Amino acid sequence: VQLQASGGGLVQAGGSLRLSCAASVWTFDIQYMAWFRQAPGKEREFVGGISRSDSSADYEDSLKGRFTISSYNAKNEVYLLMIGLKPEDTAVYYCAANLWRTTRADRYKYWGQGTLVTVSS
């Protein structure tokens, strides 16, 4: 299984971006897909994720209201819509997939290569 993240770029503060993550194939152990981010010098942190079975999404508390995760199961794709971007949102954003929901990055089986989001002030 390969995950391909895309959609990153440079955006001004207050702007928006939509990231995409496509899985090359679907396997039974991909039931939850998540987004993480890692800023320079910081640990990778959970952004949010979505369940394949019922498309229910959850988010890191501080990002609720600005970030929205959705999915299109037929294409094995998930999306991260980010609005009201702030300079502190600057990071490499990774998609990951796992059998179950967890906020711990070290528990995820599959990872994408990351896409850089830079928010200028």
Side-chain angles (χ1 to χ4, degrees):
V1 177
Q2 293 184 332
L3 303 181
Q4 180 73 38
S6 61
L10 175 63
V11 63
Q12 289 188 333
S16 62
L17 275 178
R18 182 177 183 249
L19 307 184
S20 300
C21 175
S24 58
V25 295
W26 179 77
T27 63
F28 179 77
D29 57 356
I30 298 178
Q31 298 294 337
Y32 186 82
M33 294 189 73
W35 289 95
F36 286 79
R37 67 183 184 181
Q38 188 165 19
K42 295 188 177 181
E43 292 187 355
R44 194 167 297 189
E45 65 174 352
F46 178 77
V47 171
I50 189 164
S51 170
R52 183 180 177 89
S53 61
D54 62 4
S55 297
S56 60
D58 60 298
Y59 306 90
E60 198 282 324
D61 286 344
S62 66
L63 302 177
K64 290 178 181 177
R66 294 196 301 121
F67 287 18
T68 302
I69 297 174
S70 59
S71 63
Y72 186 8
N73 287 348
K75 288 188 174 182
N76 297 325
E77 293 183 354
V78 294
Y79 313 99
L80 175 64
L81 174 63
M82 305 180 290
I83 65 173
L85 284 163
K86 306 174 182 179
E88 52 264 42
D89 293 318
T90 294
V92 177
Y93 284 72
Y94 298 89
C95 59
N98 203 45
L99 178 59
W100 59 82
R101 178 195 180 279
T102 177
T103 61
R104 291 186 52 169
D106 62 346
R107 298 295 176 88
Y108 280 78
K109 183 174 183 179
Y110 303 111
W111 285 91
Q113 84 289 0
T115 185
L116 176 63
V117 172
T118 303
V119 184
S120 63
S121 58

